[in-house]
């Protein structure tokens, strides 16, 4: 008997190493991918380390295509042949793709200074899709996105002490709100039910002693919002907690419209900027917002109507002085309406309605030169605030 012993032929394998870097700066690109293909079929793939290096071992002899990929860069491919067991080095210099998405900021930006200041721009507002100014406050440091509460006053909370006690509403009262550098005054607001208790509809809807109700301020006509936490320049007058400075859109702008509908409300807003005669620009917009704080309760509603017309013109003199004139006319209407459901309530006559209407005319005259600036703000407003509450009161009397 003859015994034949055979040995399997060892397959020769090679090794491919290299590095991926930016073709312009030479900076190493970490955590990219390198693919080794046979034709269009993937043979093996590896990821680069934090220095952009890669290592593909035990590659059988043959012809391959090696491809380097990195997010935001154009892919690069090379043909390679493994003919021995020696190490082959292939480095890649990738170039940024012309179609790469540029950096986009969708949150508020912080400004350096003696006070903490946050600037909220158009990009952040388009991302958030707010219904009122109170929604934008979630973009502040420490802010939270919460369920809209349109059945109560939305008071701003800056530098709070961490309590919901109404005794601390003075912090909201001490925050000044400016729209186009005109102050929203709250000092004369004394409209409240004097005997309101925690069970009455008016108890959480009155803004007396609480400052500005942010539900009443729309956002679709806003260019940017600056929020200062602390005491800003003395030019803003008396305040103790902070400043909210709203700058509305101006100039020739295309027609814009926004429709928003969810379980908490429906909003429709339109606006346009015109280029008028003799250099005047005219901006006009309108906003309607109807809300149910609880989608299950159709008996409790909040409605907001806003319209605005703004005119602006700039004059320039030979001495490089600039005179800018602004004239604004605004209307704001806010209605709280609460009824009882006759199917579940005994006192079916109980109801509450609060209607607030305000018309204002104001503006600004701004004169600037090389080293001086003079600003004159003027504003006249007329408001009508009416509250009606019907409540059934039952007196109990002991009998003997």
């Amino acid at each position: 008997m003859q015994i034949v012993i055979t040995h399997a032929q060892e397959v020769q394998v090679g090794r491919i190493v290299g590095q991926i870097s930016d073709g312009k700066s030479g900076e190493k690109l970490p955590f990219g991918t390198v693919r080794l293909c046979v034709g269009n079929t993937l043979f093996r793939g590896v990821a680069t380390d934090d220095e952009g290096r890669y290592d593909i071992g035990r590659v059988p002899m043959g012809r391959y295509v090696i491809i380097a990929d990195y997010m935001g860069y154009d892919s690069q491919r090379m043909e390679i042949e493994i003919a021995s067991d020696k190490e082959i080095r292939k480095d890649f210099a990738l170039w940024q793709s012309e179609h790469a998405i540029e950096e986009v900021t969708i949150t508020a930006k912080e400004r350096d200074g003696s006070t903490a200041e946050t600037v909220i721009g158009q990009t952040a507002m388009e991302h958030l899709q707010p219904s009122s100014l109170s929604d934008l406050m979630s973009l502040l440091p420490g802010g939270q996105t919460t369920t809209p509460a349109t059945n109560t006053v939305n008071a701003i909370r800056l530098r709070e002490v961490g309590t919901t006690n109404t005794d601390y509403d003075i912090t909201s009262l001490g925050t000044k709100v400016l729209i186009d550098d005109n102050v929203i005054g709250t000092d004369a607001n004394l409209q409240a039910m004097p005997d309101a208790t925690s069970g009455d509809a008016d108890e959480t809807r009155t803004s007396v002693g609480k400052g500005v109700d942010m539900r009443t301020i729309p956002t679709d006509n806003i260019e940017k919002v600056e929020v200062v936490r602390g005491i800003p320049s003395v030019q803003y007058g008396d305040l103790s907690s902070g400043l909210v400075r709203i700058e509305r859109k101006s100039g020739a702008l295309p027609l814009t419209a926004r429709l928003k509908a969810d379980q908490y409300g429906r909003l429709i807003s339109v606006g346009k900027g015109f280029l008028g005669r003799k250099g005047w620009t005219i901006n006009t917009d309108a906003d309607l917002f109807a809300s149910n704080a609880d989608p299950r309760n159709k008996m409790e509603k909040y409605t907001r109507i806003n319209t605005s017309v703004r005119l602006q013109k700039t004059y320039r003199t030979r001495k490089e002085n600039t005179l800018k004139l602004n004239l604004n006319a605004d209307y704001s209407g806010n209605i709280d309406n609460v009824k009882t459901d006759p199917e579940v309530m005994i006192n079916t006559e109980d109801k509450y309605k609060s209607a607030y209407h305000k018309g204002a005319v104001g503006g600004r005259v701004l004169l600037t030169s090389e080293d001086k600036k003079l600003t004159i703000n003027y504003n006249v407003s007329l408001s009508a605030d009416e509250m009606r509450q019907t409540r059934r009161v039952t007196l109990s009397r002991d009998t003997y």
Side-chain angles (χ1 to χ4, degrees), residues 253-269:
L253 297 170
L255 177 66
T256 59
R258 183 165 76 103
L259 301 175
K260 176 184 177 182
D262 54 29
Q263 63 267 40
Y264 300 104
R266 285 76 58 199
L267 181 145
I268 178 171
S269 175

Side-chain angles (χ1 to χ4, degrees), residues 122 218-223 247-249 269 285 308 310:
Q122 280 289 305
T219 59
D220 289 280
N221 60 359
I222 293 178
E223 180 68 28
E247 186 176 315
R248 293 187 291 187
K249 297 176 181 177
S269 175
D285 53 71
S308 174
R310 303 181 298 279

Side-chain angles (χ1 to χ4, degrees), residues 109-392:
K109 293 183 179 180
E110 288 293 305
R111 281 185 178 175
D112 297 330
S114 57
T115 56
E117 182 177 353
T118 304
V119 180
I120 303 172
Q122 280 289 305
T123 305
M125 284 186 277
E126 290 174 3
H127 172 75
L128 190 61
Q129 293 295 309
S131 298
S132 66
L133 182 64
S134 57
D135 294 333
L136 297 182
M137 296 300 106
S138 63
L139 298 177
L140 299 180
Q144 295 180 343
T145 301
T146 58
T147 302
T150 55
N151 60 339
T152 63
V153 169
N154 291 178
I156 191 169
R157 303 294 182 184
L158 299 180
R159 305 175 71 195
E160 284 283 351
V161 295
T163 178
T164 57
N165 193 319
T166 56
D167 293 339
Y168 291 93
D169 284 334
I170 189 66
T171 56
S172 301
L173 184 63
T175 300
K176 181 168 290 188
V177 179
L178 305 179
I179 297 180
D180 291 338
D181 285 342
N182 284 315
V183 180
I184 299 181
T186 59
D187 296 340
N189 183 10
L190 301 175
Q191 193 79 356
M193 295 291 182
D195 59 345
T197 63
S198 60
D200 294 334
D202 182 57
E203 194 270 335
T204 58
R205 289 172 176 80
T206 177
S207 59
V208 174
K210 301 178 183 179
V212 175
D213 186 355
M214 293 187 293
R215 294 181 303 171
T216 64
I217 302 177
T219 59
D220 289 280
N221 60 359
I222 293 178
E223 180 68 28
K224 67 175 180 179
V225 179
E226 298 179 13
V227 182
V228 180
R229 301 179 299 282
I231 308 301
S233 170
V234 68
Q235 75 182 72
Y236 297 109
D238 57 331
L239 48 81
S240 59
S241 301
L243 172 74
V244 178
R245 187 171 179 268
I246 298 172
E247 186 176 315
R248 293 187 291 187
K249 297 176 181 177
S250 63
L253 297 170
L255 177 66
T256 59
R258 183 165 76 103
L259 301 175
K260 176 184 177 182
D262 54 29
Q263 63 267 40
Y264 300 104
R266 285 76 58 199
L267 181 145
I268 178 171
S269 175
V270 293
K272 182 172 175 54
F274 302 89
L275 183 61
R277 295 181 178 180
K278 297 182 180 180
W280 284 95
T281 59
I282 305 172
N283 292 85
T284 180
D285 53 71
D287 169 275
L288 173 62
F289 177 55
S291 171
N292 297 92
D294 187 345
R296 301 165 298 179
N297 183 9
K298 301 300 182 183
M299 310 299 291
E300 185 175 7
K301 299 179 180 180
Y302 169 75
T303 305
R304 182 189 73 212
I305 304 172
N306 291 90
T307 60
S308 174
V309 178
R310 303 181 298 279
L311 288 79
Q312 177 178 293
K313 185 174 182 180
T314 302
Y315 297 91
R316 289 182 174 83
T317 65
R318 296 179 180 179
K319 296 182 179 181
E320 297 184 356
N321 295 332
T322 302
L323 177 64
K324 183 179 292 186
L325 303 178
N326 294 81
L327 178 62
N328 308 323
D330 301 278
Y331 164 76
S332 177
N334 299 273
I335 301 172
D336 279 294
N337 197 352
V338 183
K339 297 180 181 179
T340 55
D341 190 343
E343 296 182 359
V344 297
M345 297 295 293
I346 298 176
N347 302 329
T348 57
E349 63 269 27
D350 285 3
K351 57 185 178 180
Y352 170 87
K353 184 175 182 180
S354 172
Y356 176 77
H357 303 276
K358 178 182 178 182
V361 176
R364 175 177 52 188
V365 178
L366 177 61
L367 177 62
T368 58
S369 60
E370 293 182 357
D371 55 352
K372 297 179 182 179
K373 182 171 69 172
L374 174 64
T375 304
I376 301 175
N377 297 312
Y378 58 93
N379 186 54
V380 178
S381 63
L382 178 64
S383 61
D385 198 347
E386 181 184 14
M387 292 182 180
R388 293 184 180 182
Q389 183 171 8
T390 302
R391 181 175 57 181
R392 180 177 179 180

Side-chain angles (χ1 to χ4, degrees), residues 42-166:
L42 177 65
F43 173 72
R44 190 175 302 166
V46 297
T48 62
D49 61 15
D50 55 359
E51 292 293 331
R53 296 185 293 258
Y54 72 92
D55 187 341
I56 305 177
R58 301 190 59 79
V59 181
M61 290 191 298
R63 290 181 176 273
Y64 299 91
V65 175
I66 186 169
I67 306 170
D69 298 291
Y70 198 82
M71 183 176 296
Y73 289 75
D74 291 326
S75 299
Q76 189 178 123
R77 56 192 296 146
M78 300 180 184
E79 292 186 357
I80 188 172
E81 183 178 359
I82 304 297
S84 64
D85 57 359
K86 294 182 179 180
E87 182 179 280
I88 299 177
R89 184 175 183 87
K90 289 290 182 180
D91 294 329
F92 293 89
L94 304 184
W95 294 86
Q96 289 191 358
S97 174
E98 295 180 357
H99 303 289
I101 300 177
E102 297 181 357
E103 181 179 358
V104 176
T105 302
I106 59 174
T107 57
K109 293 183 179 180
E110 288 293 305
R111 281 185 178 175
D112 297 330
S114 57
T115 56
E117 182 177 353
T118 304
V119 180
I120 303 172
Q122 280 289 305
T123 305
M125 284 186 277
E126 290 174 3
H127 172 75
L128 190 61
Q129 293 295 309
S131 298
S132 66
L133 182 64
S134 57
D135 294 333
L136 297 182
M137 296 300 106
S138 63
L139 298 177
L140 299 180
Q144 295 180 343
T145 301
T146 58
T147 302
T150 55
N151 60 339
T152 63
V153 169
N154 291 178
I156 191 169
R157 303 294 182 184
L158 299 180
R159 305 175 71 195
E160 284 283 351
V161 295
T163 178
T164 57
N165 193 319
T166 56

